[in-house]
Amino acid sequence: MTTQLDYDVIVVGAGCAGPAAAKKCAELGLKTLLVEKSSEPGGKNVSGTCLNMAALGDTDLHYIMKCPIEREIHSMRTYQISDDRMTVFNEMPKSGILLLSIRRDEFDKWHTEQARKAGAEVRLGIAVVDIIEENDVVQGVVLESGEQLRSHVVIDGGGVNSIVGRKASLIPKRSGQNMILYLTAAVYLGEEVINERFRDEQGGYCIEYYLAPGIQHKTWPWIFPKKDTVTLGTGGYMTKDLINNEFPNVQQYMQNFMDLPIVKKKLAGGRVESWGLHLEFDGKIAQKTKSGLILTGEAGGFVIPFLGEGMPEAFFTGIYAAKTAAECIQKNDISQATLSEIYEEFIQENLFMQGFMYVGEENKKSILSKTDEEIVEIMQSVVMGGGFITNVVHTKWLRGVENDSLEDIEDAQTFLEFIQPYRQVSTDYLEIYREMRAQAKLEEISTKGDEI
Amino acid sequence: MPADVTFHYYEGERGEFIQVIEERCIGCGQCAKFCTTGVWEKIDKIYKPIHLKKCAECGACWNVCDADAIIFGEPRGGTGVKFTHG
Ligand SMILES: Cc1cc2nc3c(=O)[nH]c(=O)nc-3n(C[C@H](O)[C@H](O)[C@H](O)COP(=O)(O)OP(=O)(O)OC[C@H]3O[C@@H](n4cnc5c(N)ncnc54)[C@H](O)[C@@H]3O)c2cc1C
């Protein structure tokens, strides 16, 4: 291995995966650079921005609980609307916090700062435009200035269309049933109004899903409350029917969504602060490593199918990529085979990711083949984790009965046993959460003290 | 509330970060169909990113181009679409 290196690891992208990777690399003693094309981390990023508490319960992600939080979310509500009726489902755990809602502009900035504090060098406002590849080994990156930077390992955290993964021929063109085109709107309502309109019967705050004809294409629209704004999201899988005469663009789905009488009421008096547009890929990337390169987060296809959750998966894979890089650099072996073996092992060991991925895939299988009307019907049982899991079990069970296959039925049974722990909203993490919030407060005070 | 979608942008020229390879374009129009902001226009027989200023950098056009006629590069660092409240 050449010794003329600028860094041990170069991490591309300060979204969700990048800062997690850079922080971990620095903590492991690696000379690390984190490069972000936006002058402010988060300025290019769009998300529903609800962080799954069950994932943050993992020791690796406890520190995320210290991030700038907009709101604690306690429950979920689904409105199923047809021409003649509206049915409302509430999924309300007795206690505990389901999700944390955040803002990417604030969150990504905070997260990047954590990487910097851990010792990573951060360069903002400069784009990576190519990779340096010699003899099939990725040796570093090329910046827009033409500057070439070399490292043992490059970690790609560049997101869904990352140029790093594309140049390495690992990220192909994608559309159809794996790629979602999402339009979002942040609507300012003010804190007090949101407190009133997005509250559940237990006094907590809730996120909302909506299902109605003409407001989505094989996905489901949502409203997520933040502190003084709410985010609306809709769009659909990029099949050829996404855009047609009735829906000449995704704005039409959004317009119909905003025009639902119940949504109009929810948004009354509000104004759109900003729009967002983003793709989300929830299929699999065939190969996630190359000699000297590891793809993480969305660049590596780590989004839970159909459920569209990708932030925790990006944190996890960013951290695992860092650990993998450290181990391989130490062994003096950054070959594709070794990187892949170690990286995959970390991923396989994460039961949260495996369980959730499986549930998502099974749901997607049973849902994408159906018409919009049928989807709305299925959604009746697909409220929150519980519903999704039930749908998997039922589908497998019924398939077993239909095909007279004991194997499928046993499969359903095994799965049900495996998934039990994830059906409960665990309250174990609440204590950790409180501790992390207290620590965050102390850190904030000490930073302010430094400034004075 | 009207869904009149407009985006915020950072200051500074982004550069020609989306280009069409003219001899490859077959004029199918998928790029224009999936573009939310109306960047693409048909000029004679092929499509061109005439209104690149309106681009929100989602990459839908590149992803749906079966003819491999689109170069989807990076806007200059610190420029381009700006999302807040993301
Ligand atoms: C509308 C929508 C709603 C969603 N809702 C949720 C949700 O509620 N919960 C959840 O968990 N997940 C959600 N997701 C998924 C989640 O947002 C993504 O999976 C997650 O952001 C992926 O993180 P990432 O770090 O891989 O990529 P990103 O967050 O996209 O970050 C990539 C970063 O790399 C930078 N970058 C890219 N290319 C370059 C380059 N060449 N040079 C320098 N920098 C570069 C970008 O500017 C960006 O900062 C949602 C996604 C969408 C689109």
Side-chain angles (χ1 to χ4, degrees):
Chain A
M1 222 177 269
T2 161
T3 46
Q4 294 290 54
L5 295 179
D6 301 290
Y7 298 94
D8 290 318
V9 178
I10 296 170
V11 182
V12 182
C16 290
K23 174 174 177 286
K24 184 50 92 183
C25 283
E27 284 167 359
L28 293 171
L30 301 174
K31 188 175 179 208
T32 309
L33 173 69
L34 173 61
V35 193
E36 165 59 46
K37 66 180 170 187
S38 181
S39 47
E40 308 159 286
K44 298 262 171 203
N45 300 336
V46 173
S47 186
T49 49
C50 276
L51 285 171
N52 187 339
M53 264 305 231
L56 303 192
D58 188 293
T59 323
D60 278 337
L61 302 190
H62 284 174
Y63 79 94
I64 298 281
M65 294 182 187
K66 296 198 226 170
C67 74
I69 291 169
E70 291 280 301
R71 246 170 226 275
E72 294 169 353
I73 305 292
H74 302 87
S75 62
M76 303 173 96
R77 195 179 285 155
T78 300
Y79 294 88
Q80 186 195 316
I81 300 160
S82 59
D83 287 342
D84 60 342
R85 76 183 62 187
M86 178 166 84
T87 318
V88 185
F89 303 95
N90 287 306
E91 175 97 6
M92 210 183 322
K94 272 210 198 89
S95 61
I97 299 166
L98 278 183
L99 304 156
L100 298 174
S101 87
I102 58 166
R103 270 173 67 156
R104 289 295 296 274
D105 48 355
E106 287 168 3
F107 178 86
D108 293 355
K109 209 176 283 164
W110 169 85
H111 205 187
T112 301
E113 190 52 24
Q114 304 311 303
R116 200 190 54 77
K117 274 188 194 158
E121 182 185 332
V122 178
R123 285 180 73 172
L124 300 176
I126 189 150
V128 168
V129 294
D130 207 346
I131 51 174
I132 309 168
E133 198 172 1
E134 283 156 16
N135 308 320
D136 256 353
V137 180
V138 176
Q139 313 270 357
V141 300
V142 183
L143 303 181
E144 59 184 307
S145 55
E147 197 180 345
Q148 298 202 353
L149 297 174
R150 287 173 185 264
S151 62
H152 287 298
V153 175
V154 172
I155 294 181
D156 184 7
V160 65
N161 290 318
S162 179
I163 207 162
V164 175
R166 288 195 277 137
K167 293 277 185 185
S169 305
L170 298 184
I171 300 181
K173 286 174 192 287
R174 299 150 303 180
S175 58
Q177 296 206 335
N178 290 319
M179 191 65 111
I180 306 172
L181 177 59
Y182 257 123
L183 180 64
T184 65
V187 177
Y188 177 86
L189 287 173
E191 195 173 346
E192 294 301 314
V193 173
I194 296 172
N195 289 352
E196 258 168 54
R197 296 185 193 168
F198 293 85
R199 186 153 260 178
D200 63 34
E201 275 109 77
Q202 290 175 175
Y205 298 112
C206 72
I207 57 169
E208 299 187 331
Y209 289 106
Y210 288 83
L211 288 150
I215 66 166
Q216 85 278 356
H217 180 66
K218 309 227 180 257
T219 171
W220 71 100
W222 35 262
I223 306 183
F224 294 165
K226 306 202 173 167
K227 193 163 176 221
D228 50 23
T229 56
V230 295
T231 307
L232 281 73
T234 189
Y237 282 99
M238 281 171 67
T239 65
K240 62 177 184 358
D241 332 318
L242 173 69
I243 307 294
N244 53 42
N245 287 340
E246 200 187 341
F247 298 97
N249 45 42
V250 283
Q251 282 92 318
Q252 193 58 56
Y253 295 101
M254 181 60 89
Q255 188 66 70
N256 294 354
F257 181 28
M258 288 177 153
D259 286 346
L260 287 176
I262 171 83
V263 173
K264 265 192 173 159
K265 246 196 204 154
K266 292 263 172 185
L267 303 181
R271 59 164 196 274
V272 177
E273 284 278 289
S274 70
W275 295 92
L277 187 72
H278 216 274
L279 300 186
E280 185 180 26
F281 177 65
D282 75 350
K284 281 203 169 93
I285 296 273
Q287 194 184 321
K288 301 167 192 86
T289 49
K290 201 168 195 177
S291 296
L293 174 67
I294 308 175
L295 307 191
T296 62
E298 270 213 72
F302 294 105
V303 169
I304 304 298
F306 189 68
L307 307 181
E309 174 187 288
M311 292 191 291
E313 291 66 26
F315 306 145
F316 280 131
T317 52
I319 292 168
Y320 299 159
K323 289 184 180 174
T324 303
E327 216 174 306
C328 291
I329 290 169
Q330 209 204 355
K331 280 191 193 172
N332 217 8
D333 175 8
I334 48 112
S335 66
Q336 195 269 332
T338 309
L339 287 176
S340 167
E341 191 192 326
I342 298 174
Y343 190 42
E344 288 296 333
E345 208 175 301
F346 280 122
I347 294 166
Q348 291 299 326
E349 277 172 11
N350 185 322
L351 287 184
F352 170 83
M353 255 173 93
Q354 295 305 326
F356 227 46
M357 195 76 88
Y358 181 79
V359 170
E361 261 163 29
E362 289 294 316
N363 273 288
K364 197 172 158 187
K365 254 189 256 164
S366 70
I367 281 163
L368 278 190
S369 56
K370 299 195 157 56
T371 64
D372 273 0
E373 288 72 33
E374 284 171 315
I375 293 174
V376 170
E377 224 167 83
I378 287 185
M379 285 299 176
Q380 209 156 351
S381 70
V382 182
V383 189
M384 256 279 299
F388 284 120
I389 292 166
T390 313
N391 187 40
V392 178
V393 177
H394 280 184
T395 313
K396 277 187 169 278
W397 203 285
L398 287 177
R399 204 188 305 144
V401 173
E402 250 169 48
N403 303 340
D404 220 1
S405 149
L406 195 59
E407 212 178 296
D408 274 340
I409 296 177
E410 277 172 357
D411 219 26
Q413 177 73 29
T414 318
F415 172 66
L416 188 62
E417 279 162 19
F418 164 75
I419 209 75
Q420 277 312 333
Y422 301 103
R423 304 193 73 178
Q424 269 95 47
V425 177
S426 157
T427 45
D428 300 350
Y429 57 73
L430 271 182
E431 211 168 300
I432 301 161
Y433 176 69
R434 288 200 187 101
E435 191 190 314
M436 290 294 144
R437 295 313 295 168
Q439 274 185 31
K441 220 171 211 158
L442 282 178
E443 281 167 22
E444 200 184 316
I445 293 167
S446 82
T447 318
K448 280 206 179 116
D450 290 350
E451 280 163 14
I452 297 164
Chain B
M1 202 173 280
D4 294 335
V5 178
T6 50
F7 296 97
H8 301 292
Y9 295 90
Y10 288 106
E11 275 175 22
E13 266 299 311
R14 274 189 280 189
E16 303 282 305
F17 66 101
I18 294 183
Q19 291 170 20
V20 64
I21 305 168
E22 301 196 359
E23 51 291 4
R24 282 204 197 153
C25 178
I26 55 166
C28 70
Q30 290 298 301
C31 51
K33 176 176 164 181
F34 283 92
C35 178
T36 302
T37 61
V39 166
W40 297 86
E41 222 175 274
K42 193 166 191 180
I43 309 271
D44 295 331
K45 288 200 171 92
I46 64 166
Y47 281 82
K48 292 184 180 174
I50 299 293
H51 308 286
L52 196 51
K53 279 201 162 56
K54 295 203 263 179
C55 180
E57 302 161 22
C58 76
C61 58
W62 176 79
N63 276 290
V64 296
C65 180
D66 289 333
D68 271 340
I70 295 175
I71 300 172
F72 177 42
E74 288 295 340
R76 277 190 201 112
T79 72
V81 77
K82 173 184 183 171
F83 300 124
T84 61
H85 303 76

